[in-house]
Amino acid sequence: MIDFQKLADKYQTPLYVYDFNKMSESFNELKEAFKGRKSLMCFAVKSNSNLSVIKHFASLGAGADCVSIGEVKRAKLAGIEAYKIIFSGVGKRDDEIKEALEIGILYINVESEAELKRVEAIAKQMQIVARISVRVNPNIDPKTHPYISTGLHGNKFGVDLASAKRMYIDAKNSEFLDPIGIHFHIGSQLTDLVPIYEASEIVADLVRSLSALDINLKFFDVGGGLGVKYDDEILIPPYDYAQAILTTLKALDITVIGEPGRFLTANAGYFVTTVLYEKQNDEKRFVIVDGAMNDLLRPSLYKAYHKITTFKDGKTSKADIVGPVCESGDYFAKDCELPKLEHNDLVIVESAGAYGFTMASNYNTRGRSAEVAVEDGEDRLIRKREKFDDLIELEKEFI
Ligand SMILES: *Cc1c(COP(=O)(O)O)cnc(C)c1O
């Protein structure tokens, strides 16, 4: 059990705490589920981009799934080999494509015919061959929150099957493109296996029909999206997830690539915040804490639920846990049963390791939290708390 009081005393709050042992367990569980088949798990860096977190996954053999050149450079810097890095995303600038090609990443995940043309033109200028995969939108409803659903034709991601086929034929006929992979990612926080199976089957059929055209892909990239426990969700066991995908591949000799983000980091992270005071009006009780929506946006952005832990006993009553930011949407929990809390008591927001710090901002000129790793019973700082001077650094010369 992590001693949050000790960490709060040592590093102050608000604070992100990551359990690196838990991250290892989740990684190994997923990797193990695909055993018997060549596989590469590319950590979705956008879920938690701290260099020490990426380095930790690198040490376990992970690759990286990146959605900007900044993430590609983070992954490289943290020790992930270029040949294990994928660059995805619905819009990439020319300079990002060029730099990714210079670094020599595994492949660029192309999301439109226009983008394929850009990649080809840039590879031609550089007189190199660009390895690509095409992101297919299989038009499957993942049955998750609409904001994190990505595999329907109403979403901006990927291309339909007919376009994908054309793109592979164009790529095969180009001197400067080498189509080596195929990709789909139907959404995030998936808790239903059927849509994953259906999407995988559609995409595997496309792989077989491409093979008939002598386009032989090496990588079957199933994206990320595996759900985690925030509340009382019933989860897909990683083994069943892997089996559902492998079943659709049958005899295809192809390496499976996964892009897990949340699954590896969400439950390993805690957002630690301190009570400033309580406030009661004739309708409601509020617990005001030192963390805010600029630190952890998910409740405000998605109405996401996070479990709350406190260390006080006694009679409970309902309260909203809110931060100091000037927005009514600035809260971590609503109508949460809580004991009476006092100045300096800790409030832990659980399952905050994914899309927590990476979505943090400096709104209200609040410095972003420090980040701490806990591993084998030891704790260490992995990002300093931002100070006022850090926030004005890029402006102060202009006044
Ligand atoms: C966001 C994203 C992921 C990771 O999703 P999780 O739900 O965190 O596993 C993987 N692949 C792509 C293309 C993504 O956009």
Side-chain angles (χ1 to χ4, degrees):
M1 184 58 201
I2 296 172
D3 185 345
F4 289 107
Q5 190 61 59
K6 188 186 103 185
L7 297 177
D9 292 343
K10 186 167 169 185
Y11 300 104
Q12 284 72 58
T13 62
L15 181 70
Y16 274 98
V17 175
Y18 307 125
D19 181 340
F20 275 27
N21 296 106
K22 214 176 214 172
M23 289 183 185
S24 303
E25 273 168 38
S26 305
F27 181 85
N28 292 331
E29 189 183 3
L30 194 55
K31 181 76 190 159
E32 184 69 13
F34 283 98
K35 77 164 190 275
R37 163 79 64 170
K38 280 174 285 176
S39 72
L40 174 65
M41 290 301 133
C42 291
F43 170 51
V45 170
K46 76 174 188 281
S47 75
N48 189 323
S49 318
N50 184 287
L51 289 173
S52 298
V53 170
I54 304 172
K55 184 179 170 197
H56 183 68
F57 287 118
S59 77
L60 300 172
D65 171 48
C66 302
V67 292
S68 70
I69 199 67
E71 286 190 357
V72 171
K73 290 200 272 196
R74 269 184 186 270
K76 270 280 283 168
L77 189 64
I80 297 197
E81 296 92 338
Y83 69 88
K84 290 184 179 175
I85 296 176
I86 301 166
F87 183 13
S88 309
V90 77
K92 305 177 187 78
R93 290 190 315 265
D94 285 4
D95 62 287
E96 291 187 295
I97 293 168
K98 182 160 185 273
E99 202 164 347
L101 293 175
E102 278 164 1
I103 292 171
I105 64 168
L106 179 58
Y107 55 76
I108 294 179
N109 216 339
V110 174
E111 301 215 15
S112 62
E113 302 201 58
E115 186 176 43
L116 189 71
K117 297 233 155 62
R118 286 313 308 152
V119 174
E120 184 185 28
I122 293 164
K124 186 175 177 188
Q125 276 165 18
M126 295 170 71
Q127 287 295 302
I128 60 164
V129 177
R131 289 181 295 275
I132 59 117
S133 78
V134 175
R135 177 165 180 173
V136 178
N137 181 331
N139 202 24
I140 293 283
D141 183 354
K143 304 190 178 76
T144 182
H145 191 291
Y147 281 16
I148 48 179
S149 151
T150 55
L152 281 166
H153 283 172
N155 301 125
K156 67 180 177 179
F157 300 98
V159 297
D160 58 48
L161 293 167
S163 311
K165 203 162 181 170
R166 274 200 307 277
M167 286 165 70
Y168 279 110
I169 293 166
D170 288 349
K172 182 184 159 63
N173 292 332
S174 165
E175 269 180 81
F176 302 102
L177 295 172
D178 183 13
I180 63 167
I182 193 159
H183 172 251
F184 64 97
H185 171 80
I186 58 172
S188 205
Q189 186 54 10
L190 307 175
T191 51
D192 188 346
L193 194 50
V194 174
I196 298 171
Y197 172 79
E198 288 174 356
S200 188
E201 181 125 281
I202 290 170
V203 178
D205 283 343
L206 179 58
V207 172
R208 281 183 277 268
S209 71
L210 291 171
S211 172
L213 299 171
D214 201 27
I215 298 169
N216 296 300
L217 302 179
K218 297 192 188 72
F219 299 100
F220 190 80
D221 182 345
V222 301
L226 207 46
V228 300
K229 226 176 175 62
Y230 289 104
D231 191 4
D232 53 4
E233 296 90 342
I234 297 168
L235 303 182
I236 304 168
Y239 179 82
D240 296 1
Y241 170 72
Q243 287 313 306
I245 290 163
L246 296 179
T247 306
T248 66
L249 295 180
K250 301 190 185 91
L252 278 174
D253 178 21
I254 198 162
T255 299
V256 174
I257 291 194
E259 300 174 347
R262 190 187 310 266
F263 180 79
L264 301 181
T265 50
N267 294 146
Y270 305 84
F271 181 60
V272 182
T273 175
T274 300
V275 174
L276 300 175
Y277 17 72
E278 288 211 16
K279 172 168 167 174
Q280 174 87 47
N281 65 23
D282 51 5
E283 267 184 43
K284 251 193 139 83
R285 174 187 166 206
F286 296 98
V287 174
I288 301 159
V289 296
D290 65 354
M293 65 187 282
N294 75 295
D295 301 300
L296 176 61
L297 188 61
R298 295 181 52 351
S300 311
L301 184 63
Y302 307 123
K303 295 195 170 65
Y305 171 87
H306 285 266
K307 190 165 169 269
I308 301 293
T309 301
T310 62
F311 303 100
K312 277 282 167 75
D313 298 321
K315 200 163 121 348
T316 66
S317 68
K318 282 194 166 54
D320 287 6
I321 301 176
V322 301
V325 161
C326 306
E327 300 278 345
S328 294
D330 179 24
Y331 75 96
F332 295 122
K334 290 210 160 147
D335 293 326
C336 181
E337 283 290 339
L338 292 169
K340 170 115 192 62
L341 293 169
E342 285 165 43
H343 186 63
N344 281 341
D345 283 347
L346 291 185
V347 169
I348 313 295
V349 184
E350 302 211 2
S351 304
Y355 308 101
F357 188 91
T358 50
M359 284 191 178
S361 76
N362 295 121
Y363 188 39
N364 282 203
T365 302
R366 291 169 51 89
R368 284 179 292 177
S369 319
E371 296 180 286
V372 164
V374 175
E375 188 171 17
D376 303 331
E378 306 277 334
D379 55 84
R380 63 180 195 273
L381 188 65
I382 57 173
R383 192 180 204 271
K384 293 179 197 164
R385 180 175 303 286
E386 284 178 351
K387 297 198 286 291
F388 176 68
D389 284 347
D390 300 322
L391 305 191
I392 58 164
E393 181 57 31
L394 303 178
E395 304 162 39
K396 64 181 183 204
E397 68 185 281
F398 302 111
I399 56 169

